[in-house]
Amino acid sequence: MHAVPGQRRERPTDEVDDDPLAAVTDRSLYFSVPTVPGAVPAARREVAAQLGLWGLRPGAAVTQTAVLAVSELVTNTVRHAAEASARTDVHIGLNDRHLMVAVHDRDPRMPRRMEAPHLDGSGGRGLHLVETLAAEAGGRTCVPRDADGGGKTVTVLLPL
């Protein structure tokens, strides 16, 4: 039984992505969630469970950062992309050196990095937080646009 409704599959290691960050994975998991608020905790649980199956401890900094990144990025799709993207795709990958987290939606608008959060508390912290945590861990983020321009993937690469 899967915590996240939708499609889920382990990806064979011989498939290759165009995304250079995704190419570092030996183990991969893809799943899709509806772009609704209830998907956020479900995606967080699914990622935490899979990382545990791969031997990454729940309290490890890389695990906590990855789970938080998924939570923030899926929240962003719910807040900003739901109208254009009925589903959000999550991909996590692992090899002996890196953990990769990617969240994809079909909204053509690229995320805007805000210098400061909204004064009313309505947002503006998520992507900045993810980028900061990745950088502090020695990792990086990128946001490649889909080839057709109709969506994008926020990708986070974290060293182990």
Side-chain angles (χ1 to χ4, degrees):
M1 180 168 146
H2 303 297
V4 178
Q7 301 169 355
R8 180 181 195 260
R9 70 180 176 105
E10 292 253 7
R11 185 173 184 184
T13 58
D14 58 349
E15 290 184 32
V16 178
D17 273 327
D18 293 333
D19 180 355
L21 297 182
V24 303
T25 61
D26 291 336
R27 295 181 232 165
S28 293
L29 174 71
Y30 288 82
F31 62 92
S32 179
V33 294
T35 309
V36 298
V40 176
R44 188 172 46 240
R45 285 189 304 269
E46 186 76 6
V47 167
Q50 186 63 47
L51 295 178
L53 291 173
W54 286 342
L56 295 175
R57 292 183 300 100
V62 69
T63 303
Q64 291 177 339
T65 300
V67 171
L68 178 59
V70 166
S71 184
E72 292 294 333
L73 297 175
V74 173
T75 295
N76 284 351
T77 66
V78 169
R79 285 189 174 170
H80 306 292
E83 197 170 299
S85 186
R87 299 200 64 82
T88 298
D89 300 317
V90 179
H91 171 202
I92 58 172
L94 179 71
N95 69 12
D96 61 342
R97 296 181 339 186
H98 296 97
L99 173 62
M100 187 269 310
V101 172
V103 175
H104 176 266
D105 66 65
R106 288 295 295 165
D107 188 324
R109 296 174 296 164
M110 295 298 281
R112 291 188 346 239
R113 288 166 181 82
M114 305 187 105
E115 295 301 317
H118 298 153
L119 295 175
D120 65 1
S122 64
R125 291 179 176 90
L127 185 57
H128 179 72
L129 175 64
V130 170
E131 291 174 330
T132 300
L133 289 171
E136 287 177 357
R140 60 186 171 133
T141 60
C142 70
V143 187
R145 186 182 296 275
D146 290 358
D148 68 358
K152 73 277 186 192
T153 304
V154 180
T155 306
V156 181
L157 184 69
L158 300 168
L160 294 178

